[in-house]
Amino acid sequence: MKIKNTLVNAFLLVMLVILQNCNAQENPAAGDKTYEGCCGTAPVEFPLDDKRYIYIPNVFTPNGDGINDHFMPFMRSKELMEIQKLTVVSAVGDTVLWQMERIHPGDDAKNYGWSGYRADGSRYRGKFKYVMAVCAVGFNQFVSGEACSVICEPGNKVMKSRSGCYYASQAGPDGTLEKSKVNKEQDCF
């Protein structure tokens, strides 16, 4: 078990170094440019094998209204899986914004998801990157991607009509994206 955790930690460290070298948006300005490239550019569904898959929203709105407030992956609860070392880093990869050691199917997003706040208490806005290990008996896979933290404020109405934006409220019970579900963000946008 100790070797497995060491391998997971080593891989996550390598992924963070790789993510730091990716082109990213630096010093986002308020308005549309802050959220440029947030939707439709990265996958949100990750098939792991024939029975296991994960849906990871690419947008969340941490405004405390109880709708899409936390960033967290959704996984099929019928298959025994867990997420290990979910790590969220800034778009340029220079700052670890949040990390959760373990997440299990059915865990509450309020207690196990990222709230969109930095360690200093300020809200993060714009694109960020994530990496995690998905583990099950006889199965380990690393998943990484990009998503956005959207602050509900005037000027962000463009997010309402932007295609390719998928929210936590669109997660299906089996860990997949249900595009027919609405994002429920009437008050934000």
Side-chain angles (χ1 to χ4, degrees):
M1 184 66 155
K2 193 170 189 169
I3 292 173
K4 181 180 172 183
N5 286 338
T6 302
L7 290 173
V8 168
N9 287 336
F11 181 81
L12 291 173
L13 181 61
V14 169
M15 287 300 297
L16 286 174
V17 170
I18 290 169
L19 289 173
Q20 287 178 349
N21 293 323
C22 294
N23 289 334
Q25 175 183 353
E26 294 184 12
N27 301 321
D32 293 349
K33 287 190 177 190
T34 301
Y35 305 112
E36 196 171 280
C38 283
C39 300
T41 60
V44 294
E45 291 183 287
F46 297 89
L48 305 171
D49 62 22
D50 292 345
K51 298 182 280 186
R52 299 178 183 116
Y53 37 90
I54 294 180
Y55 162 58
I56 305 172
N58 60 3
V59 179
F60 79 113
T61 56
N63 62 345
D65 66 354
I67 301 168
N68 304 313
D69 284 337
H70 294 85
F71 175 75
M72 183 174 145
F74 293 86
M75 54 194 137
R76 184 176 180 169
S77 60
K78 294 177 185 171
E79 298 296 324
L80 179 61
M81 284 196 283
E82 74 175 7
I83 302 294
Q84 293 181 359
K85 302 277 187 188
L86 171 56
T87 304
V88 175
V89 297
S90 65
V92 291
D94 63 347
T95 305
V96 174
L97 301 169
W98 179 83
Q99 187 174 49
M100 177 58 69
E101 190 67 29
R102 295 187 192 287
I103 301 173
H104 297 94
D107 282 348
D108 180 0
K110 186 174 182 180
N111 295 314
Y112 291 92
W114 179 43
S115 66
Y117 286 86
R118 294 181 174 104
D120 67 3
S122 63
R123 286 197 295 180
Y124 184 84
R125 72 176 64 230
K127 191 181 281 190
F128 60 89
K129 298 175 183 179
Y130 60 84
V131 63
M132 67 191 83
V134 181
C135 303
V137 176
F139 178 87
N140 291 311
Q141 184 171 333
F142 291 93
V143 174
S144 62
E146 297 178 341
C148 278
S149 173
V150 176
I151 306 302
C152 297
E153 57 193 5
N156 290 341
K157 294 196 185 294
V158 67
M159 295 301 291
K160 183 175 185 172
S161 61
R162 192 170 280 178
S163 64
C165 293
Y166 301 111
Y167 298 79
S169 61
Q170 294 173 290
D174 60 355
T176 59
L177 166 64
E178 290 189 10
K179 292 181 181 180
S180 62
K181 285 185 170 182
V182 296
N183 67 34
K184 299 183 181 179
E185 288 294 349
Q186 294 92 355
D187 293 337
C188 187
F189 306 128

